[in-house]
Amino acid sequence: MSQVSAQILRAEVLSGADSAWLRMEQPENQMVITGMLQLSNRPGCQAFRELIRQRLLIFARFRQRVINRETIPLWVPDENIDLDYHLRQVDLRKSSTELTLHAYIEKLLSIPLDFDRPLWELHLVETAGGTTLVAKLHHCIADGIALVRILLSLTTVAPGGAFFEPHREYKPVRRTGQRHSGLFNSAGDGIRRITKALYKFVSMPADTATHVKGALQPLKKAAWSASVPLVEVKFLAAKYKATINDILLWLACGALRRYLTEAGEKPETASSFRVSIPVNLRGDTDTLMTGNQFGLVFLELPVGIENGQERLRIVQRRMNEIKASGEAWVAYGVLSLLGKMPLIVEQFIVNFLSSKCSAVVTNVPGPRRPLYLAGAKIEEIMFWVPKSGMLGVGISLISYNGGVSIGVASDANRLPQPEKVTQYFVEMFETEKTKAL
């Protein structure tokens, strides 16, 4: 029996949702989640390599590649996995730290993964300011929550201490749809909610045309902020009787409004600025760390409202309506179905749905305590979310060790200065904190 035949016999068919994200891959819009861990010092190369071998390669998806991408995608074992290819050491110490790291990350965002190999890369980047681990992980391996868990499973709670156990100590809350799994409250209730959600998805008009929508190109841009204190975000949430997620979406909305205004747009005339929000659908006891188990909901950000408090109340009200709808479960079902349809049908529906919004916004709550990677303390965590279909802007929010940071990944045609959005987010936070005191 040939090696190829043996691989086929050991192959696994991708789930509907995993297949859907795999086949959304385009040269100008990759379905890759990029993460960054800024470290206090350089881990030993051999120790780091052994860590990857013992802790990352235990997950089958990191030892497999995908074949038959356009028909019935299959996971097949990669018998000759080359760790020298997947683990890259990059020395940029002779260059300016922040600009060089920034440029390197933008380069990685613009270059696709090699589909003849397992769909992941880890880049250990040395700069004058320290060491940064940059991870590229394809969305078909897992969703953002799961991939963050996988990366955190490499860490310890102290230098040389016990490994961090994400499924025990890190349980991101499902923000919506929690009581609507299965057939919702009853079969009749499930049918009613499914019908209503499907009608909403199909009937909502295309989003207002602004310069963030339009043709895409392979070149991508990226930015990230320093963290703001989570305790102060909680203070704002308590002050305005809102959730932390409401506050973060409100701040992101304000940053986008300012960006659009300064770019010459007139957000007050926009009928909508709709964003898609991934929603975690994993159960609290779910220990599975690969695969995609999330839905998408659509939120109209009130970028046209000048008054900040009014914007917050609108964000709050609309998020509460979404939480009661069960739309996330319906979207998950649609995604799973798309992965089983002919590729041309999936592409048509993905483009149709992506015309309904202008950006992706995702919020991933991370660990509350400091963690260590191969003995090096993790100082900051950031990740950049992929944008499906015709979307060119992705906004990522993540908390870690008492702070919250925002990242923006964008198509160079659509939002060429993402650092302005991250800057405006922090400035709005400072302004609103001062007002609330």
Side-chain angles (χ1 to χ4, degrees), residues 155-432:
T155 67
T156 58
V157 297
F163 280 104
F164 184 73
E165 298 185 62
H167 65 280
R168 294 179 184 272
E169 302 187 54
Y170 171 57
K171 297 179 180 179
V173 177
R174 289 180 289 173
R175 293 188 178 82
T176 182
Q178 185 151 359
R179 61 188 184 86
H180 300 305
S181 58
L183 291 178
F184 298 83
N185 297 324
S186 66
D189 180 54
I191 292 171
R192 179 177 63 82
R193 292 179 185 275
I194 289 169
T195 302
K196 184 177 180 180
L198 286 174
Y199 177 77
K200 176 182 176 180
F201 293 160
V202 172
S203 64
M204 71 172 65
D207 208 21
T208 302
T210 65
H211 73 275
V212 303
K213 294 182 67 67
L216 306 178
Q217 63 164 311
L219 183 62
K220 305 304 175 186
K221 307 293 287 183
W224 64 95
S225 73
S227 63
V228 300
L230 181 58
V231 66
E232 295 178 358
V233 177
K234 291 180 177 178
F235 165 75
L236 287 174
K239 174 75 174 181
Y240 297 123
K241 296 181 173 58
T243 67
I244 293 174
N245 193 50
D246 291 339
I247 296 296
L248 295 175
L249 288 172
W250 172 48
L251 296 174
C253 178
L256 286 167
R257 172 183 167 80
R258 182 175 170 186
Y259 181 89
L260 291 169
T261 300
E262 294 187 357
E265 302 281 356
K266 295 182 178 179
E268 62 275 4
T269 66
S271 57
S272 67
F273 189 95
R274 201 175 290 116
V275 298
S276 66
I277 301 177
V279 176
N280 178 33
L281 298 178
R282 294 176 184 271
D284 293 339
T285 58
D286 184 4
T287 59
L288 186 66
M289 303 240 295
T290 56
N292 285 275
Q293 295 184 42
F294 73 100
L296 294 169
V297 296
F298 294 96
L299 171 68
E300 286 191 17
L301 289 177
V303 294
I305 303 298
E306 183 176 1
N307 182 277
Q309 292 303 304
E310 186 179 354
R311 281 201 306 271
L312 174 58
R313 295 309 165 206
I314 292 173
V315 167
Q316 233 180 334
R317 186 185 75 245
R318 290 176 180 172
M319 281 304 298
N320 286 337
E321 290 170 355
I322 288 172
K323 290 173 186 176
S325 70
E327 290 173 14
W329 288 99
V330 175
Y332 176 68
V334 170
L335 281 171
S336 297
L337 184 61
L338 284 181
K340 302 299 183 182
M341 290 182 174
L343 180 59
I344 190 170
V345 176
E346 178 183 337
Q347 290 175 338
F348 173 80
I349 295 175
V350 167
N351 288 337
F352 172 74
L353 291 175
S354 66
S355 73
K356 309 290 187 179
C357 54
S358 295
V360 179
V361 179
T362 184
N363 178 13
V364 175
R368 298 182 180 91
R369 60 160 134 179
L371 297 176
Y372 298 80
L373 180 71
K377 183 181 179 182
I378 300 173
E379 302 287 358
E380 299 285 348
I381 296 178
M382 180 43 64
F383 75 103
W384 292 272
V385 63
K387 295 79 62 186
S388 60
M390 299 181 293
L391 297 180
V393 178
I395 297 175
S396 310
L397 296 151
I398 187 164
S399 61
Y400 167 65
N401 190 29
V404 180
S405 303
I406 182 173
V408 179
S410 60
D411 187 273
N413 275 344
R414 304 276 58 90
L415 204 157
Q417 295 179 296
E419 65 277 3
K420 287 190 174 182
V421 177
T422 61
Q423 173 191 337
Y424 298 160
F425 176 91
V426 175
E427 289 178 1
M428 183 177 175
F429 164 76
E430 294 294 344
T431 298
E432 295 300 334

Side-chain angles (χ1 to χ4, degrees), residues 39-55:
L39 308 176
S40 60
N41 57 279
R42 179 185 180 186
C45 294
Q46 191 57 41
F48 181 71
R49 186 183 180 92
E50 194 59 30
L51 174 69
I52 298 306
R53 189 183 298 279
Q54 293 183 7
R55 299 288 293 183

Side-chain angles (χ1 to χ4, degrees), residues 14-22 24 31 33 61 75 137-147 278-282 286 288-295 329 332-333 335-336 386:
L14 272 71
S15 73
D18 295 350
S19 176
W21 288 105
L22 171 76
M24 287 184 210
M31 294 299 102
I33 298 170
R61 296 292 179 257
W75 291 110
L137 310 166
H138 202 280
H139 210 320
C140 69
I141 295 176
D143 54 56
I145 290 288
L147 289 175
V279 176
N280 178 33
L281 298 178
R282 294 176 184 271
D286 184 4
L288 186 66
M289 303 240 295
T290 56
N292 285 275
Q293 295 184 42
F294 73 100
W329 288 99
Y332 176 68
L335 281 171
S336 297

